[in-house]
Every structure is written in structure tokens, then in C-alpha cells.
């Protein structure tokens, strides 16, 4: 499909998160876009700064041809000339081959050809916690795949591989020829080809996409527009856990939440299967119940099974703040309540004034001193993130506590994960997602900040480390305290439902 459309690496990057964003960016009304938020701007600035620091350091070791100041109209030809001349490292080259267009951060000569390298201010892989091994990030892979493809078409490829230089200083290999597993014949190249095909259909207007609600939507400049469209359409994807692919599978027969609420799910079920691809019978019945709850006259959360919650004189509501891109945990927050009396609440926080390993270790040690002193408390938190972070911090700072202490802290007789063990396992809510923000707001709780989010906290923390403005630190602490209090509000509501 040469010459009909231009597919860029940015198109493929966005497509992995949301195909509808690709269509809106190409054909939507730009006046309906939200303003770019401070967190996204911070990511751009952080990425540019990190890239510049890497190139500066690299240029001190070996020659780098810098094409970043060359006008875009001339840069393609200059990149081709440089590759023909065998230049070892090319910064900000520009590749065009057929309908493909991309600008890899670096092109490195290997053998008779070149491999593309992208410099990322995040980790080069995802996963790698107790539940999964590290693996390539799909949105990075499809970008790199386009560069590899373009190099092949231009006759300058050193093979179907590329690299990410990440924030931790790692050079992560993206090998497009390796199978995912013995039972899975797919490769990164398969993922790239699928993404490229989808982008071509969207940009050629052969495929018309629909919005779908997901956690990542909140950082998108089309968020307000898409949410308005979804709400007016009574879209299925506003049901928790009913994502884009299931909405696509169901929409011809069940187009809205109201339709699902009034439907007979058994009409679509045979045994354990349904007529909808990727949707089993049990999940369809669950979605049907959620739809009925959402459309009920006075929608209220309800209990799905008996629930036993521990009760002790001292309750602690626990929440951490971390920047995963810098791999640092900068705040451990604890809200105490005694005897079930909200008037007894006391907030205790351990805050890292500097984004350094030394400061991170100190606040982790301080948090453990606090937890040991309150070993008789029951602890409530929301999602397994805290447990995962503490396991990681213990491995990094073994002098602070032992692995056995971490496991004992998160054992069921000591702690309760209100998300996985309660909300997901034993309750049903008439909300479009199960985030603590959504549930607590549904219950009438309000954050003091006008823009409360973990992403915002990361941006505030960066500004704190740069400016040392006490009001910024107070804002972070108040936000974390409100998150802890929201967890308490949720616990009290669940107890009321259970009783």
C-alpha cells in the first residue's frame, strides 16, 4: 500500500493503547481535544532531557552524526547518504520507505547494515514482578518494527532486531524473530505486522473505530470527548472489565448497557460458551448483572458472597506514592484509626525529600520501624501494588527488613487488599470502573485537591525536587492522606453492605 497513506511510528505507538485515538488524531475535530496536562508535559520534558544526556555522554565516547538540526525535508536524504558512507552512529535520522515514515533516535552500524535504537525515559521492559517475567513493551516494539521494516525496504537492515536504551541504563534487545513460546508461533514481528495493517485501514478510512473506556484514557487529550460520546451512546464498555474487543464482539446484537440489562443471557449461551468471541458464559452473566445494577432505579453496591473482615482496635490504611519511570518510592502514608472512631484518625507519613537511593532507603526503614511498633494493627490497602513494591524494596534494601517480615505483613491475618479480596471478589458496583477514586467519589468522598491522581503526584514530586516549594510537598502529602482516607471510606461502606 505505497503512496496512499503515511504510517508513522507514532501512529503505531498510539494504536497499541487506543486505535480510536489514531482515527481522531487524523480526522477528528481538533477543537474538541483537551489541553495537554502537566503530567504528560513532564513526560515529554523528561524524555527529551534524558535523550540529550545519553547523546552527550555517547558523543564523549565515539563520534555521533547529529542530524537533529537538519530540516525535515532534507533529513531523509542526509540519512541515506550517511548510511551509504557507513557512519557508525546517526542521531535523529529519518527513514521513509513506501508508506512508512519514522525517526529512530539512533541508527547504529552493525556489520553491513544498521539497527535502530530508541532512547526511553522509562524501563525497556514490562513485568518482572512476582507474577511475570520481564517482556518487551508492545508499544515500543511496534515503533521499532517500523524502523526495521523501513531499513529492510531501503536495503540497510542488519537484521530483524532493535534496541531500547532505557532509564536504568540498560540496552534491551527487541528480537523480532524469536517465538513467544513453543506453543505460541507469534513473534514481535507478527505484532508489528498486525499493528501496521490496522493503522493502514484506519488512516485509509477503511476501518471506522469506536471509543472504548480504559484506565489509560485519563491521560489522553481526547478523554473528555470520548467519555461524552460513550455516555451518550450508553456504551457497553462503560461496564467494568468489558473492554474494546468484547464490545466489538457484542455490539451488533447487544449495542447498549440498557439492551444488555433487558436481555436474556441464556439466549446467547451454549454450555460454557457464548456466541460472542472471547466471552464465556459466566462472564456474560456477570456483565448482565452489572448492566441491570447500573440501570436499576436506585443503583447501589451489593454483596455477592459472605464476607468476613478482620476487626481490631487499631486499623491502619496504607498507601504509597512511587514514580515507576524513575523506579523510586518516595512516600509511605499511613492513616490510623482507633476503635472505629473517625475522630481518632491520625496521618503518619514518611517522605523522601530527594529522589535518591539513600533517601528511598531511609523512608523505607522508617516505615518499617513504624510498622513493627504497630504490629497489633490490621492493615487495609487497595490493590497488590503495595505488596509488590515492598517485596522489591526489601530486595533492594535487605537491611531494612527480611523477606519473611514482608510476607507476614501482607498475610491475610494481618492485611486486607480491599481491591482483589473484597471489591473484585465479593461485591458489585454501579460504576464504570473500580478505581479507588471512582468508588470513593460514588460514596460521597471528595479529595481536597482539584486534580487528584497518582500521575499528578509524580509530576508534583518532580517539581518538589527541583523547586523545594513547601506548598508542593504539602499537596503531595494531602493527596496521599486523602487516598488513605478514601480507603477507610470504602471499608466502612463494605462493612455496611455486608451487615
Amino acid at each position: 500500500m505505497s503512496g496512499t497513506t503515511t504510517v508513522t511510528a507514532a501512529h503505531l505507538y498510539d494504536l497499541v493503547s487506543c486505535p480510536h485515538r489514531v482515527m481522531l488524531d487524523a480526522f477528528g475535530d481538533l477543537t474538541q481535544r483537551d489541553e495537554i496536562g502537566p503530567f504528560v508535559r513532564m513526560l515529554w520534558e523528561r524524555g527529551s532531557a534524558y535523550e540529550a544526556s545519553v547523546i552527550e555522554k555517547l558523543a564523549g565516547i565515539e563520534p555521533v552524526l547529529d542530524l537533529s538540526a537538519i530540516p525535515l525535508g532534507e533529513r531523509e536524504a542526509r540519512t541515506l547518504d550517511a548510511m551509504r558512507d557507513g557512519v557508525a552512529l546517526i542521531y535523529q535520522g529519518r527513514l521513509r520507505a513506501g508508506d512508512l515514515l519514522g525517526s529512530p533516535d539512533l541508527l547504529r552500524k552493525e556489520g553491513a547494515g544498521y539497527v535502530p535504537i530508541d532512547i526511553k525515559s522509562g524501563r525497556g521492559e514490562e513485568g518482572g514482578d512476582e507474577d511475570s517475567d520481564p517482556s518487551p513493551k508492545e508499544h515500543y516494539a511496534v515503533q521499532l518494527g517500523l524502523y526495521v521494516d523501513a531499513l529492510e525496504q531501503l536495503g540497510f537492515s542488519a537484521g530483524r532486531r532493535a534496541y531500547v536504551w532505557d532509564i536504568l541504563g540498560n540496552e534491551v534487545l527487541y528480537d523480532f524473530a524469536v517465538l513467544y513460546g513453543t506453543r505460541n508461533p507469534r513473534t514481535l514481528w507478527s505484532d508489528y505486522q498486525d499493528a501496521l495493517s490496522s493503522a493502514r485501514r484506519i488512516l485509509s478510512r477503511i476501518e471506522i473505530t469506536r471509543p472504548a473506556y480504559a484506565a489509560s484514557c485519563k491521560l489522553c487529550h481526547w478523554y473528555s470527548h470520548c467519555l461524552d460520546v460513550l455516555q451518550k451512546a450508553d456504551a457497553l464498555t462503560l461496564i467494568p472489565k468489558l473492554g474494546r474487543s468484547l464490545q466489538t464482539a457484542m455490539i451488533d446484537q447487544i449495542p447498549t448497557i440498557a439492551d444488555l440489562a433487558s436481555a436474556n443471557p441464556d439466549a446467547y449461551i451454549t454450555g460454557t460458551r457464548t456466541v460472542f468471541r472471547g466471552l464465556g458464559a459466566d462472564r456474560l452473566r456477570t456483565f448482565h448483572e452489572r448492566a441491570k445494577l447500573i440501570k436499576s432505579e436506585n443503583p447501589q453496591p451489593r454483596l455477592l458472597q459472605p464476607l468476613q473482615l478482620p476487626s481490631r482496635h487499631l486499623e491502619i490504611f496504607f498507601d504509597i506514592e512511587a514514580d515507576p519511570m524513575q523506579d523510586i518510592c518516595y512516600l509511605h502514608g499511613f492513616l490510623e484509626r482507633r476503635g472505629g472512631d473517625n475522630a481518632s484518625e491520625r496521618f503518619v507519613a514518611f517522605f523522601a525529600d530527594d529522589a535518591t537511593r539513600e533517601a528511598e532507603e531511609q523512608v523505607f526503614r522508617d516505615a518499617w520501624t513504624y510498622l513493627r511498633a504497630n504490629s497489633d494493627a490490621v492493615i487495609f490497602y487497595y490493590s497488590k501494588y503495595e505488596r509488590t513494591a515492598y517485596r522489591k524494596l526489601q530486595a533492594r534494601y535487605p537491611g531494612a527488613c527480611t523477606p519473611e517480615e514482608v510476607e507476614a505483613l501482607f498475610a491475610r491475618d494481618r492485611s486486607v487488599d480491599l481491591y482483589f479480596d473484597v471489591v473484585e471478589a465479593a461485591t458489585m458496583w454501579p460504576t464504570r470502573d473500580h478505581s479507588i477514586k471512582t468508588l470513593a467519589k460514588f460514596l460521597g468522598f471528595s479529595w481536597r485537591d482539584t486534580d487528584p491522581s497518582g500521575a499528578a503526584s509524580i509530576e508534583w514530586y518532580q517539581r518538589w525536587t527541583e523547586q523545594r516549594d513547601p506548598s508542593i510537598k504539602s499537596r503531595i502529602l494531602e493527596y496521599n492522606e486523602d487516598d488513605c482516607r478514601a480507603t477507610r471510606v470504602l471499608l466502612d461502606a463494605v462493612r455496611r453492605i455486608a451487615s
Side-chain angles (χ1 to χ4, degrees):
M1 184 180 280
S2 177
T4 57
T5 59
T6 297
V7 181
T8 68
H11 285 141
L12 300 185
Y13 183 98
D14 290 339
L15 184 139
V16 169
S17 297
C18 179
H20 194 58
R21 173 169 172 163
V22 176
M23 190 180 83
L24 288 176
D25 281 345
F27 309 113
D29 181 353
L30 299 186
T31 64
Q32 296 181 340
R33 288 171 42 149
D34 297 332
E35 290 187 13
I36 303 300
F39 176 73
V40 174
R41 291 191 182 280
M42 181 207 73
L43 293 181
W44 293 348
E45 292 165 2
R46 184 182 286 182
S48 297
Y50 180 64
E51 182 178 314
S53 69
V54 170
I55 296 303
E56 182 180 6
K57 186 182 299 183
L58 187 61
I61 301 172
E62 56 185 312
V64 178
L65 175 62
D66 185 351
L67 299 180
S68 61
I70 303 298
L72 291 179
E74 303 174 23
R75 204 179 300 181
E76 293 168 32
R78 291 288 295 273
T79 303
L80 289 173
D81 288 343
M83 290 192 293
R84 291 189 189 104
D85 292 341
V87 174
L89 279 172
I90 304 166
Y91 174 56
Q92 283 296 310
R94 189 169 170 88
L95 303 173
R96 184 186 294 273
D99 63 341
L100 307 182
L101 177 63
S103 297
D105 294 330
L106 281 169
L107 290 167
R108 181 171 67 193
K109 194 172 192 306
E110 291 189 0
Y114 284 84
V115 295
I117 300 170
D118 263 356
I119 302 167
K120 300 293 188 182
S121 58
R123 290 177 55 206
E125 297 175 294
E126 58 192 356
D129 55 24
E130 67 265 25
D131 295 328
S132 62
D133 294 325
S135 60
K137 294 182 175 180
E138 186 180 357
H139 53 296
Y140 290 177
V142 293
Q143 278 189 303
L144 293 166
L146 183 142
Y147 307 144
V148 170
D149 195 353
L151 286 168
E152 282 189 5
Q153 293 187 45
L154 293 169
F156 289 102
S157 174
R160 286 186 176 171
R161 64 184 183 277
Y163 298 89
V164 167
W165 288 357
D166 73 5
I167 191 66
L168 302 178
N170 299 320
E171 181 175 312
V172 181
L173 171 65
Y174 277 56
D175 190 331
F176 288 83
V178 173
L179 295 177
Y180 286 145
T182 54
R183 297 184 179 182
N184 186 350
R186 292 189 60 81
T187 62
L188 289 179
W189 193 252
S190 307
D191 291 345
Y192 160 67
Q193 289 288 321
D194 288 349
L196 177 61
S197 177
S198 179
R200 282 171 169 163
R201 292 195 305 273
I202 292 169
L203 295 171
S204 299
R205 311 203 81 161
I206 295 170
E207 178 181 336
I208 304 301
T209 62
R210 296 185 181 92
Y213 185 77
S216 59
C217 293
K218 295 174 183 177
L219 295 178
C220 178
H221 48 247
W222 293 104
Y223 175 66
S224 298
H225 166 74
C226 286
L227 186 58
D228 182 59
V229 170
L230 289 167
Q231 289 173 331
K232 288 178 179 176
D234 194 29
L236 291 172
T237 192
L238 292 177
I239 298 174
K241 307 295 183 182
L242 202 162
R244 181 185 305 278
S245 61
L246 291 181
Q247 175 177 259
T248 300
M250 298 171 66
I251 199 166
D252 288 340
Q253 298 188 60
I254 306 178
T256 69
I257 297 175
D259 292 325
L260 179 56
S262 62
N264 175 11
D266 291 335
Y268 305 95
I269 293 172
T270 302
T272 61
R273 298 185 177 185
T274 74
V275 299
F276 307 117
R277 183 177 180 181
L279 181 59
D282 288 344
R283 290 181 73 201
L284 177 59
R285 291 189 177 102
T286 297
F287 291 141
H288 177 240
E289 290 299 318
R290 287 177 177 169
K292 288 198 300 181
L293 179 61
I294 291 168
K295 291 302 177 181
S296 62
E297 187 172 338
N298 181 29
Q300 294 296 320
R302 71 172 192 245
L303 200 65
L304 300 178
Q305 61 188 46
L307 187 63
Q308 293 291 329
L309 291 170
S311 178
R312 297 183 191 173
H313 179 73
L314 176 58
E315 298 168 318
I316 294 177
F317 303 91
F318 171 40
D319 183 56
I320 65 172
E321 305 296 337
D323 181 348
M325 292 161 289
Q326 294 195 95
D327 193 26
I328 190 163
C329 178
Y330 55 86
L331 174 58
H332 305 250
F334 305 92
L335 181 73
E336 301 174 355
R337 181 173 69 172
R338 287 174 166 79
D341 182 3
N342 293 344
S344 72
E345 286 182 348
R346 182 174 80 102
F347 181 60
V348 179
F350 303 99
F351 183 86
D353 282 319
D354 301 295
T356 63
R357 288 286 176 247
E358 293 77 15
E360 181 185 58
E361 179 178 10
Q362 186 58 58
V363 295
F364 184 52
R365 287 179 176 273
D366 292 343
W368 266 103
T369 299
Y370 168 83
L371 288 165
R372 289 189 184 108
N374 292 284
S375 59
D376 58 335
V378 60
I379 296 171
F380 297 93
Y381 58 100
Y382 201 73
S383 93
K384 65 181 179 180
Y385 185 73
E386 275 69 22
R387 184 186 69 182
T388 299
Y390 264 43
R391 286 172 172 168
K392 187 173 184 179
L393 288 168
Q394 189 284 322
R396 183 176 291 166
Y397 309 117
C401 60
T402 67
E404 291 76 19
E405 284 181 295
V406 173
E407 297 311 309
L409 174 67
F410 291 99
R412 281 181 173 267
D413 62 342
R414 177 84 193 277
S415 299
V416 177
D417 179 345
L418 287 177
Y419 176 70
F420 280 101
D421 297 339
V422 177
V423 169
E424 289 290 298
T427 63
M428 184 174 290
W429 294 77
T431 55
R432 61 174 174 257
D433 61 52
H434 293 157
S435 72
I436 189 65
K437 302 291 188 301
T438 298
L439 299 187
K441 287 178 180 177
F442 175 84
L443 295 168
F445 181 76
S446 298
W447 274 254
R448 283 170 284 182
D449 201 278
T450 57
D451 180 31
S453 71
S457 175
I458 293 171
E459 192 269 332
W460 301 336
Y461 185 66
Q462 174 155 315
R463 285 198 284 123
W464 157 255
T465 60
E466 295 168 349
Q467 302 172 17
R468 292 302 203 225
D469 182 344
S471 67
I472 298 176
K473 182 175 180 178
S474 295
R475 190 178 190 185
I476 297 169
L477 290 169
E478 283 187 357
Y479 164 71
N480 182 261
E481 180 180 356
D482 285 349
D483 267 4
C484 291
R485 188 163 285 112
T487 306
R488 188 265 295 162
V489 168
L490 176 62
L491 172 68
D492 290 347
V494 169
R495 280 179 170 156
R496 288 195 298 271
I497 299 168
S499 66

